[in-house]
Amino acid sequence: MPRHSCYSSYKLCLRCFYSCSCTRVKREIPSTCGCVWALLVLCVFLFTLIWLYVTLILKNDIHNLNEEIFRLKGIWQDWSVVLITVAAVLASYSVVLLLISMCLVVSGQPLDLHWLHQIFVCFCIVLVSLGIIGLDLKWDIEWTAVAISLQATSPFLHIGAVIGVSALAWVLAGYFWETKNKVLKYLLPLVYIILVCALFVSPVFISSPCIIKASELPPKPWFMGHRGAPMLAPENTMSSFDKMVNSGGKVFETDVMVSWDGIPFLMHDETLLRTTNVKEVFPDHSRKSCSNFTWSELQELNTSEWFLQKNPFGTAGSLTEDQLKEAMQQKIPSLEEVLIACEKHNISIMFDLRQPPPGHPYYESFVNVTVNTILNTSIRHDLILWLPDDEREDVIKTAPGFKQIYGRRREKNDTNILYDVNLSYTNISLSEIRWYRGDNISVNLFVVNKPWLFSYVWCAGATSVTTNACHLLKDLTQPIWLMDPDSYLIIWIVADVLALVHIIWAFFVQR
Ligand SMILES: *[C@@H]1O[C@H](CO)[C@@H](O)[C@H](O)[C@H]1NC(C)=O
Ligand SMILES: *[C@@H]1O[C@H](CO)[C@@H](O)[C@H](O)[C@H]1NC(C)=O
Ligand SMILES: *[C@@H]1O[C@H](CO)[C@@H](O)[C@H](O)[C@H]1NC(C)=O
């Protein structure tokens, strides 16, 4: 078979997929309508790609969404799997369409998108728009996470964008030499040139904390186990505590409530539904507030079967037989039990303290009961990182040895108040972290699970992080990337020059 006919059957095949029309045509200029659709395909490609990126970033915080949906609807599901799969399918589809339309333009074939593809393309736009609107209405704090991720990865995004935009030159050049439309002929390249110039100088605005000399890298943040090690054992159990200690966690970060008969115990949610078998043991009042149960009732519950059934982090499958056996037998721990374990292992404890509902016998005195429980054990007071704001002044007086940690940012003018802070990583800027650290204030950031985010806060200088993944992050010996500022300058300039040469070459060849 002669070479050119092989080549043209390949073009035909592309056209079959794109237009569902398989008749051979001579080289021709694309119709305006076809061009509009091709441009739309390009936009949809970018749109779905951005959405895929957003869903990957959300993965760090997905336990919040999973828990919230369980609280509202009673359905347990790892929503990151759903979100990422849908986004990946949409992005793959649009990238295939885009590549084909680029090939068709280059080889001068007609660009008439089949109506079925047109419907799918619109469907992609609708689906991604719904995702973005939903995120904006219900979970807008995640835009900050996205902004942080852009800051963290900006040098790579810049280089990726330079490559992408310079590849686009082929399509543009093809159009430029073929079109009869005088306005578009010059307008499109003008827009393109502005875009390229903006991209070339954009690193001036990049302030990624990991562009730093290796000698200036701050020490690695240490770990607070978020409810222990919730990926290895059911959250807020003694097993979770042990796993965290073995994974190098220094602080047990947990949640404390007071039972109906005044025993502080560990539990995160308002009800026992998510993390215990309360539905089987107390079917009639499974929806009661946790604090409305007595300690002996709470002791009847199993807090680990759910972990194996719901597999909240997809990690239950990787546990050994012994680990599973241990995990299966967990009960709700009392605060006292945990304090004794903390003392034994020299582990600090930090917790949120939840007020019982109105009408509860300890509605007023829940802080007192908790402080007394601590004082009645022999734990060293400097192992208590006191976070609750309720009656803090009284607590400082009763137990001056507790370390006080504040869950709020310091105001610009209260420079003489030097307190250690515990903040969401979305609630503090790079410059604030540096300002605090300059004043020797410890900065703990929560909840940092993914290596990219951990690397970011490490470069930024955080003292410690609250994390679900002590066992994974402890193995990182350095941030996942670190770039010398001078090396980055060279990479930046070389990438820009190569892209420029490539663009000029594309226009030259297409002619
Ligand atoms: C808990 O008990 C208090 C006092 O009896 C009652 O007012 C409240 O409604 C109960 N709350 C729940 C959620 O069970
Ligand atoms: C407990 O751990 C701290 C660091 O977290 C260390 O400085 C201290 O020496 C340890 N104390 C004991 C008794 O091991
Ligand atoms: C912070 O601590 C270092 C070392 O302990 C000390 O040299 C520095 O003066 C302290 N800075 C402030 C603002 O207290």
Side-chain angles (χ1 to χ4, degrees):
M1 189 189 276
R3 198 166 166 277
H4 72 270
S5 110
C6 181
Y7 174 63
S8 67
S9 53
Y10 136 83
K11 287 195 293 192
L12 193 63
C13 189
L14 287 181
R15 217 164 76 74
C16 280
F17 181 81
Y18 197 80
S19 321
C20 296
S21 140
C22 303
T23 49
R24 282 166 196 277
V25 290
K26 287 229 178 69
R27 194 175 171 85
E28 61 174 55
I29 302 155
S31 66
T32 316
C33 179
C35 280
V36 170
W37 276 106
L39 269 180
L40 201 62
V41 167
L42 174 66
C43 295
V44 168
F45 161 71
L46 293 174
F47 204 40
T48 52
L49 201 67
I50 290 169
W51 179 243
L52 178 62
Y53 178 84
V54 170
T55 59
L56 289 171
I57 297 309
L58 294 185
K59 207 160 165 20
N60 182 73
D61 298 333
I62 204 70
H63 61 268
N64 290 334
L65 180 72
N66 293 345
E67 284 169 22
E68 184 65 9
I69 291 183
F70 182 84
R71 196 176 70 80
L72 297 174
K73 305 274 178 223
I75 305 167
W76 182 267
Q77 169 78 42
D78 183 0
W79 292 99
S80 66
V81 175
V82 179
L83 283 171
I84 293 174
T85 310
V86 171
V89 168
L90 297 185
S92 316
Y93 169 71
S94 54
V95 77
V96 169
L97 271 194
L98 180 72
L99 286 177
I100 293 180
S101 61
M102 283 172 88
C103 291
L104 289 176
V105 172
V106 170
S107 56
Q109 296 291 301
L111 267 181
D112 28 11
L113 192 62
H114 190 258
W115 60 268
L116 211 58
H117 285 309
Q118 295 181 353
I119 291 177
F120 282 146
V121 163
C122 295
F123 180 68
C124 287
I125 299 177
V126 171
L127 218 55
V128 174
S129 306
L130 285 180
I132 290 176
I133 292 170
L135 193 64
D136 201 52
L137 292 179
K138 297 288 178 193
W139 207 16
D140 57 349
I141 191 71
E142 287 302 305
W143 294 126
T144 315
V146 171
I148 288 173
S149 78
L150 292 177
Q151 201 180 7
T153 52
S154 47
F156 305 102
L157 290 176
H158 166 240
I159 293 178
V162 167
I163 293 173
V165 165
S166 74
L168 206 60
W170 288 89
V171 179
L172 195 72
Y175 182 78
F176 181 78
W177 297 118
E178 301 259 352
T179 187
K180 303 241 164 11
N181 187 328
K182 280 271 182 322
V183 182
L184 280 182
K185 184 180 171 97
Y186 294 103
L187 188 65
L188 283 181
L190 188 70
V191 172
Y192 182 74
I193 289 168
I194 294 173
L195 182 72
V196 168
C197 291
L199 205 56
F200 279 3
V201 298
S202 63
V204 173
F205 306 100
I206 287 178
S207 62
S208 190
C210 288
I211 300 179
I212 190 175
K213 284 199 178 0
S215 57
E216 288 168 13
L217 180 68
K220 183 176 175 178
W222 40 269
F223 305 124
M224 299 198 182
H226 182 230
R227 310 176 199 164
M231 297 174 78
L232 302 179
E235 68 181 52
N236 283 340
T237 60
M238 291 315 292
S239 169
S240 186
F241 177 89
D242 292 338
K243 293 279 170 3
M244 183 207 85
V245 174
N246 292 337
S247 309
K250 281 199 194 174
V251 179
F252 186 54
E253 194 277 349
T254 183
D255 311 275
V256 172
M257 296 190 183
V258 178
S259 73
W260 189 261
D261 47 351
I263 307 288
F265 64 95
L266 307 196
M267 183 56 59
H268 176 269
D269 294 6
E270 278 163 48
T271 72
L272 298 163
L273 289 166
R274 182 172 61 91
T275 56
T276 75
N277 57 346
V278 68
K279 266 190 170 159
E280 292 158 31
V281 183
F282 302 108
D284 298 335
H285 39 268
S286 63
R287 299 193 163 272
K288 262 198 336 193
S289 156
C290 302
S291 295
N292 281 9
F293 288 86
T294 64
W295 176 238
S296 60
E297 284 170 336
L298 291 170
Q299 282 303 88
E300 289 176 45
L301 301 172
N302 177 304
T303 52
S304 42
E305 280 162 9
W306 75 277
F307 181 74
L308 300 178
Q309 285 158 6
K310 293 174 188 160
N311 196 4
F313 293 96
T315 44
S318 64
L319 301 184
T320 66
E321 196 97 333
D322 286 349
Q323 285 172 322
L324 285 179
K325 238 190 214 159
E326 187 197 331
M328 281 303 280
Q329 294 156 353
Q330 296 300 307
K331 293 198 176 304
I332 297 178
S334 67
L335 177 62
E336 187 185 359
E337 203 179 333
V338 175
L339 292 172
I340 292 168
C342 282
E343 185 187 7
K344 181 171 156 214
H345 291 97
N346 188 24
I347 294 289
S348 298
I349 181 167
M350 181 169 88
F351 51 83
D352 286 322
L353 182 57
R354 304 195 191 240
Q355 184 164 28
H360 188 283
Y362 293 88
Y363 176 65
E364 301 282 353
S365 55
F366 69 108
V367 177
N368 239 328
V369 166
T370 309
V371 172
N372 286 338
T373 304
I374 299 172
L375 297 181
N376 286 339
T377 64
S378 54
I379 190 167
R380 290 199 337 258
H381 288 186
D382 63 328
L383 290 180
I384 309 293
L385 310 183
W386 187 264
L387 190 59
D389 276 328
D390 307 278
E391 303 170 37
R392 192 189 282 273
E393 296 309 315
D394 292 340
V395 175
I396 292 175
K397 278 194 204 118
T398 333
F402 291 1
K403 279 192 188 160
Q404 299 292 324
I405 311 279
Y406 290 73
R408 58 166 189 263
R409 288 150 71 187
R410 129 169 117 151
E411 300 300 324
K412 278 271 178 225
N413 44 13
D414 60 352
T415 41
N416 48 2
I417 304 175
L418 298 177
Y419 45 69
D420 292 344
V421 293
N422 175 52
L423 296 170
S424 162
Y425 74 90
T426 53
N427 190 16
I428 186 167
S429 67
L430 262 185
S431 54
E432 272 176 307
I433 296 179
R434 291 184 177 141
W435 178 41
Y436 287 22
R437 297 299 294 126
D439 283 345
N440 292 343
I441 294 175
S442 303
V443 177
N444 181 61
L445 300 180
F446 63 87
V447 172
V448 173
N449 300 315
K450 292 289 160 196
W452 71 264
L453 185 56
F454 182 69
S455 300
Y456 174 89
V457 302
W458 181 349
C459 295
T463 328
S464 58
V465 296
T466 303
T467 178
N468 291 330
C470 295
H471 63 298
L472 300 177
L473 299 181
K474 82 171 180 345
D475 294 335
L476 280 186
T477 52
Q478 54 176 11
I480 45 182
W481 67 272
L482 198 63
M483 210 187 284
D484 192 279
D486 297 334
S487 315
Y488 181 53
L489 191 67
I490 293 171
I491 295 174
W492 164 27
I493 292 171
V494 169
D496 283 4
V497 169
L498 286 181
L500 193 64
V501 171
H502 175 242
I503 292 169
I504 294 169
W505 184 55
F507 270 81
F508 184 73
V509 170
Q510 286 283 31
R511 188 172 185 182

